[in-house]
Amino acid sequence: MTLEPIESQAQAGASGLFVMKCGGSTLAALPDSFFVDLRELQLSGNQPVIVHGGGPAISGNLEKLGIESRFVNGLRVTTEEVLDVVEMTLSGSINKAIVRRIQASGGQALGVSGVDGNLITARPVANHHEVGLVGEVSGVQAEIVTGILAMGYIPVIAPVGVDGDGQRYNINADTAAGAVASYIGSPSMIVVTDVPGIMRTVDGEKVVLPSVTVAQIEALIENGEIYGGMIPKVRAAMDCIQGQVSEVIVVDGKEPRVLSRVLKGEALGTRIVR
Ligand SMILES: Nc1ncnc2c1ncn2[C@@H]1O[C@H](COP(=O)(O)OP(=O)(O)O)[C@@H](O)[C@H]1O
Ligand SMILES: CC(=O)N[C@@H](CCC(=O)OP(=O)(O)O)C(=O)O
């Protein structure tokens, strides 16, 4: 398999619209300068949309409450009892912590979960017999996202979905972010995590792949070089890289001014392209 660098394509496009997924692995470690960079991007006419995770915080809260938690293929087995903690953590403390950090940097943010205004509608995943109340996205009310942007706020979205009967679902944050990017027609999605990109071992050394195509990803999953928490990211990328979403970039949130550098097309992290 050859993995040649591929030139960056759309970045934020003319609209300045981009979706950023922020993983629970990195949220607490994000420096204040990350939010200053975000604020400056917003001031210069970009339209950031944030979808966040919070897996480690959910696991911590479940442990404190003595509720058992386990994952099947990267998805948390979710009962109603677990879902109470998932919703409390994602839509509550994590969502509001991000909103507060943006506001403290001088930016304007409005936090919602996928439940608010039926923003993210969901249905049970195919393997719901194994994982319980985990959802896949059946729709996104794009006009809520664009409406929040039009008011001058950065939408901060927690990945909890709802169906027509009012049933809640736990949605993997990478999956939710990819769906939001698709439905709002964002040219790119930036996945901010705790590693410098998608890595593989070459001559016994770990190297970051500057770019990978959707076809190459399958081989990397097959040979075990992509595993665990990276799997939902690349699967979400494969699902959303079509239509208007032309690239998904996986980057480390601790890299200085990572968002503006990625949007300028700098070779940082891994770009997943068609
Ligand atoms: N090929 C790979 N390159 C880089 N990281 C990988 C790879 N395969 C698996 N991973 C794992 O994926 C993790 C990121 O996923 P996860 O912990 O779920 O983060 P997040 O909370 O940001 O969603 C990395 O810390 C690393 O352990
Ligand atoms: C179904 C499922 O597994 N949902 C995730 C939602 C949070 C998430 O995805 O957070 P990260 O991005 O930090 O991993 C969970 O319960 O942990």
Side-chain angles (χ1 to χ4, degrees):
M1 180 171 49
T2 52
L3 292 159
E4 297 297 325
I6 294 167
E7 196 134 310
S8 169
Q9 297 172 9
Q11 289 108 47
S15 64
L17 186 62
F18 68 95
V19 170
M20 175 184 97
K21 187 268 170 167
C22 229
S25 65
T26 190
L27 277 171
L30 289 177
D32 289 344
S33 58
F34 178 91
F35 292 95
V36 171
D37 188 31
L38 181 67
R39 169 67 184 141
E40 283 169 2
L41 282 167
Q42 190 191 22
L43 272 178
S44 59
N46 290 280
Q47 303 193 81
V49 175
I50 298 178
V51 179
H52 63 85
I58 297 168
S59 297
N61 284 339
L62 285 166
E63 206 179 310
K64 279 185 212 156
L65 293 164
I67 301 170
E68 198 200 314
S69 169
R70 67 190 172 88
F71 288 82
V72 172
N73 292 332
L75 299 176
R76 189 186 304 276
V77 176
T78 305
T79 59
E80 277 288 355
E81 189 185 32
V82 169
L83 199 37
D84 274 340
V85 180
V86 168
E87 190 169 37
M88 168 184 97
T89 310
L90 292 179
S91 316
S93 52
I94 298 279
N95 187 275
K96 299 317 160 206
I98 297 171
V99 168
R100 282 187 280 111
R101 288 199 76 180
I102 295 171
Q103 291 174 170
S105 76
Q108 302 211 93
L110 203 143
V112 290
S113 95
V115 172
D116 297 294
N118 286 318
L119 172 56
I120 301 177
T121 48
R123 58 179 167 241
V125 288
N127 64 336
H128 62 96
H129 298 297
E130 276 182 290
V131 295
L133 293 165
V134 174
E136 61 184 29
V137 177
S138 54
V140 173
Q141 303 298 316
E143 64 278 14
I144 296 179
V145 180
T146 50
I148 294 171
L149 287 168
M151 290 192 299
Y153 291 85
I154 298 175
V156 179
I157 303 170
V160 180
V162 65
D163 70 14
D165 297 327
Q167 172 64 53
R168 306 169 291 179
Y169 293 92
N170 181 10
I171 304 176
N172 172 274
D174 300 308
T175 308
V180 168
S182 294
Y183 277 87
I184 68 172
S186 171
S188 62
M189 171 162 85
I190 304 175
V191 178
V192 178
T193 185
D194 64 344
V195 283
I198 301 178
M199 296 186 285
R200 70 180 309 210
T201 307
V202 178
D203 298 332
E205 266 188 50
K206 287 251 176 202
V207 295
V208 177
L209 299 173
S211 60
V212 280
T213 63
V214 166
Q216 289 165 338
I217 282 172
E218 284 296 356
L220 291 168
I221 296 176
E222 192 71 27
N223 71 14
E225 290 198 88
I226 289 180
Y227 56 89
M230 192 55 70
I231 293 183
K233 293 183 208 324
V234 294
R235 292 242 181 264
M238 292 193 286
D239 287 345
C240 79
I241 297 182
Q242 47 185 290
Q244 294 180 69
V245 186
S246 63
E247 61 178 358
V248 172
I249 308 115
V250 180
V251 288
D252 189 341
K254 296 182 293 301
E255 193 71 53
R257 299 183 57 250
V258 66
L259 296 175
S260 51
R261 288 165 64 196
V262 161
L263 290 166
K264 275 190 202 126
E266 195 174 312
L268 260 186
T270 302
R271 289 177 191 264
I272 306 172
V273 294
R274 289 192 182 98

